[in-house]
Amino acid sequence: MDATVSKRWLLARLYEPEQTIVDCRFTLGKPQAGRESYEQEHIPGAVYLDLELDLSGPVGEHGGRHPLPDPQVLAARLSKLGIGNDSRIVAYDDESGMNAARLWWLLRYLGHEQVFILEGGFSAWKAEKFPVTDHQPVRVPSSFVPQLQSQMVAGVDKVRQVSEQTVDAEAGKGETASHPALPLLIDSRANDRYRGQNETLDKKAGHIPGALNYFWKDTQNADGSFKSAEQLAEHFAGLDKDREIIVYCGSGVTACPNVLALEKAGFKKVRLYAGSWSDWISYSENPVATGEE
């Protein structure tokens, strides 16, 4: 099944007991806005998970602006909300799917495959006159036992190695020049941030040397839904499906919809650099590139 579900699909299954709907609305710079929106109105039965309090770990010297949460801490939070290993989760937000995709990725990282994203998000749901409520459900705790899928993550050492090899290959140096199996680095941020021309969130501007730019919002239609598998395959047509791909963004959030889109387009070897750009620049020795690759 596709990683996304339609509004009518969810409407038809709104009250199925094995399902948990998760509201992931969050506004950067306004950390209370998402929860306040949830408390005002949400899809019936939905619980709330906060990007920074639930779907991220504490910020430190390294790890980026939204470090991965501790798997056991997240599992305990899921259990408290009544989410178990047999639950089907449908996540939504109002930010073009970026926060919902973060939960989608995290759950799969914890070994849980039954997780989906609502196409179009909350505003599209409400625009269809589908039901909303301010009632917060009482949840019976469950047991969520994580089975970590460590192969889904690439750390800074791996990314540094790939970057160095890519730069050498582009310069025609060493054995890497004829090594087509070299992993690809994908930067998911807007092109002006990738080029280093408009950085408003992080202390340094630019991108990881050797990375290509595929803006995450280009994977979506005007209504905030994801493009079809065929459209996404065309969007990523310049990439080799046999090569490993490491995706990053500013802090590991907007890279997640790009991971989803790549997998929807048929790419099988996709990993997330969770700390992303904000982690990369926390190491003073890491080089920074600007302009186009």
Side-chain angles (χ1 to χ4, degrees), residues 24 26 49-58 63-70 74 91-93 96-110 115 117 152 226 249-260 272-276 278:
C24 299
F26 186 89
L49 284 174
D50 186 285
L51 172 63
E52 294 186 341
L53 298 179
D54 301 311
L55 306 183
S56 302
R65 286 183 280 109
H66 293 109
L68 291 184
D70 180 282
L74 179 55
Y92 70 87
D93 59 32
S96 300
M98 69 177 195
N99 301 318
R102 169 77 166 203
L103 177 60
W104 169 85
W105 186 91
L106 280 170
L107 283 166
R108 293 170 68 249
Y109 176 58
L110 297 186
V115 54
I117 295 175
M152 291 175 57
F226 281 88
C249 57
S251 66
V253 177
T254 59
C256 293
N258 243 359
V259 171
L260 186 153
L272 175 70
Y273 174 25
S276 288
S278 52

Side-chain angles (χ1 to χ4, degrees), residues 21-22 45 48-49 55 67 77 112-113 119 143 158 160 173 180 188 197 202 230 266 272 274 286:
I21 303 169
V22 182
Y48 183 75
L49 284 174
L55 306 183
R77 177 69 175 132
H112 192 87
E113 293 290 335
E119 291 280 20
S143 176
K158 174 67 173 180
R160 190 182 289 122
K173 297 178 182 178
S188 304
Q197 294 180 334
D202 292 305
E230 293 74 21
L272 175 70
N286 281 347

Side-chain angles (χ1 to χ4, degrees), residues 53-217:
L53 298 179
D54 301 311
L55 306 183
S56 302
V59 176
E61 181 183 1
H62 302 299
R65 286 183 280 109
H66 293 109
L68 291 184
D70 180 282
Q72 296 299 333
V73 173
L74 179 55
R77 177 69 175 132
L78 295 171
S79 298
K80 188 176 180 179
L81 291 175
I83 296 173
N85 293 90
D86 295 327
S87 299
R88 181 178 72 231
I89 296 103
V90 178
Y92 70 87
D93 59 32
D94 233 355
E95 293 77 37
S96 300
M98 69 177 195
N99 301 318
R102 169 77 166 203
L103 177 60
W104 169 85
W105 186 91
L106 280 170
L107 283 166
R108 293 170 68 249
Y109 176 58
L110 297 186
H112 192 87
E113 293 290 335
Q114 283 288 99
V115 54
F116 307 96
I117 295 175
L118 178 65
E119 291 280 20
F122 181 76
S123 290
W125 173 273
K126 190 176 177 182
E128 292 278 356
K129 308 294 184 184
F130 291 162
V132 298
T133 183
D134 63 356
H135 174 70
Q136 297 185 36
V138 176
R139 301 285 298 178
V140 177
S142 186
S143 176
F144 188 98
V145 180
Q147 297 176 320
L148 215 58
Q149 306 296 305
S150 57
Q151 76 281 358
M152 291 175 57
V153 180
V156 65
D157 291 337
K158 174 67 173 180
V159 173
R160 190 182 289 122
Q161 178 189 42
V162 171
S163 174
E164 291 172 353
Q165 291 177 334
T166 301
V167 171
D168 284 348
E170 290 172 349
K173 297 178 182 178
E175 298 178 2
T176 55
S178 59
H179 192 41
L182 192 66
L184 294 168
L185 289 173
I186 297 297
D187 188 313
S188 304
R189 298 171 300 164
N191 186 253
D192 56 351
R193 290 186 67 200
Y194 167 82
R195 295 196 314 269
Q197 294 180 334
N198 183 30
E199 184 54 67
T200 59
L201 294 172
D202 292 305
K203 294 179 180 179
K204 291 182 182 179
H207 61 268
I208 299 172
L212 303 175
N213 184 219
Y214 282 82
F215 184 34
W216 72 278
K217 281 197 173 182

